Amino acid sequence: MDLNGTLAFVTVVERGSFSAAARTLQIPRSTLSARVASLEAHLGIVLLRRTTRRMALTDDGRDYFERAAPAIQALRDAEQVSTADATQPRTLTGALRMSVPFDFPFDVLSEAIATFRAMHPRVRFDVLVDDSVNDFVDDNLDMAIRGGHPGGDHVIARRIATFGFARFVSPAFGKSRAKRAAQDLPRLVFKPRHRSASSPRSTALAPAQQDYAVATNSFALLKQLALHGAGAAVLPSHTCDAEVANGQLLTLPLNDATAHAGLYLVYPSRRDLTAKVKAFSDHLVNCLESTVPPPRRAAPRA
């Protein structure tokens, strides 16, 4: 087994060129090229098509990279663990690519990233903001944050927070009127872009047939609609604390045991839980616990 050749090939693909890979591995470019050529001869396939200016993966090369790259990363992580001084914090390096939804609290995420990089400055982040259910392979993701739908059986999900929900309306409706006729107010509802029959959502969030005024996959837009008096919106309670405090929104509690939703960290597999990913996951959870309040419980009926 040609591990040096495999390391050389994987590094070339990751870095995008032979020159960059040679600098990363701190070996001459000619040595690197020879190792890749030796690996190709050993495997009996062409991994890279290259000229003096360009290179491209062959189909065989792409298949080999997808299989070999996780193993090389596991060896790198193992080397970091085994060579680290037990009295010093572990050195974490490289890119961490993650996906977060548009309505994730970015103040928490930015604080988590900034404080984590202060401890591990050699870790860099690629953050994809997208409400789509991402493909971990196609999007090259290490982890994702998802609410409500952590994914199917092929992924690993870790519940990290629970958000309480309430109904919010503009003071223009008047609190007494809103309480009496909450069900008759125009409904502003959250409608996920993707819905899976195998992943039931909270009944408090589910739009019933056509019984709504506006449906959207953005909590931020729902809040703005409520502020402008377009109707009653069911929103995460903590996202409206400032507007409730200054009188811009009124709160109508939901007497529904399902008026909450989970937030999940999702990984493609247990094999992808590298030291870097696990360390940032734990750090993000700590930041969430200190920032996001627990779900509010509806007061018991008299």
Side-chain angles (χ1 to χ4, degrees):
M1 186 176 294
D2 187 0
L3 289 180
N4 280 330
T6 302
L7 173 62
F9 167 69
V10 168
T11 307
V12 167
V13 177
E14 289 175 339
R15 301 297 293 159
S17 73
F18 277 74
S19 297
R23 288 193 295 271
T24 298
L25 296 175
Q26 298 182 338
I27 60 175
R29 189 181 185 281
S30 57
T31 301
L32 182 73
S33 181
R35 288 182 180 179
V36 173
S38 176
L39 176 66
E40 290 177 318
H42 172 71
L43 297 174
I45 58 177
V46 176
L47 299 170
L48 292 165
R49 299 198 184 280
R50 50 194 184 275
T51 66
T52 55
R53 294 185 178 182
R54 297 179 62 247
M55 73 168 196
L57 278 170
T58 64
D59 288 342
D60 287 336
R62 184 173 294 104
D63 180 66
Y64 186 73
F65 174 79
E66 290 175 354
R67 294 171 184 271
I72 291 295
Q73 186 58 51
L75 288 172
R76 288 168 175 159
D77 291 338
E79 185 177 53
Q80 285 183 359
V81 172
S82 61
T83 59
D85 184 340
T87 64
Q88 299 295 327
R90 180 179 301 174
T91 300
L92 302 178
T93 63
L96 195 160
R97 185 169 171 83
M98 63 185 298
S99 169
V100 301
F102 282 107
D103 291 302
F104 186 78
F106 291 144
D107 55 339
V108 177
L109 180 62
S110 59
E111 177 191 357
I113 290 176
T115 52
F116 188 82
R117 290 204 73 252
M119 296 182 291
H120 306 286
R122 296 178 64 186
V123 175
R124 60 187 186 275
F125 285 82
D126 291 336
V127 183
L128 176 65
V129 181
D130 191 354
D131 282 330
S132 301
V133 177
N134 305 99
D135 185 289
F136 283 99
V137 175
D138 288 347
D139 294 317
N140 190 26
L141 295 175
D142 296 301
M143 58 188 289
I145 298 174
R146 292 178 184 166
H149 301 289
D153 295 336
H154 61 289
V155 299
I156 306 301
R158 173 187 178 185
R159 192 181 186 105
I160 58 173
T162 299
F163 292 100
F165 286 80
R167 185 180 288 111
F168 295 91
V169 298
S170 165
F173 286 105
K175 193 161 188 176
S176 59
R177 174 194 166 192
K179 281 186 175 180
R180 290 196 309 270
Q183 299 305 318
D184 298 327
L185 294 176
R187 296 182 65 217
L188 312 173
V189 300
F190 183 80
K191 189 175 185 181
R193 180 178 175 185
H194 297 277
R195 183 178 179 182
S196 170
S198 62
S199 301
R201 288 178 292 129
S202 166
T203 56
L205 305 179
Q209 301 298 326
Q210 304 299 317
D211 183 23
Y212 57 83
V214 181
T216 176
N217 66 337
S218 169
F219 283 125
L221 177 56
L222 288 180
K223 184 165 82 169
Q224 290 301 314
L225 288 166
L227 285 167
H228 284 88
V234 175
L235 297 165
S237 299
H238 73 278
T239 64
C240 299
D241 285 343
E243 289 76 14
V244 171
N246 62 28
Q248 290 180 281
L249 288 174
L250 299 177
T251 306
L252 303 178
L254 292 166
N255 293 319
D256 189 334
T258 60
H260 60 271
L263 189 69
Y264 299 84
L265 280 178
V266 187
Y267 315 98
S269 69
R270 296 194 185 280
R271 182 182 61 186
D272 293 276
L273 276 171
T274 61
K276 173 176 54 189
V277 172
K278 187 177 186 307
F280 179 70
S281 298
D282 293 340
H283 184 70
L284 178 60
V285 170
N286 290 335
C287 290
L288 277 168
E289 289 177 346
S290 63
T291 305
V292 178
R296 297 167 181 167
R297 302 298 182 186
R301 297 180 181 178

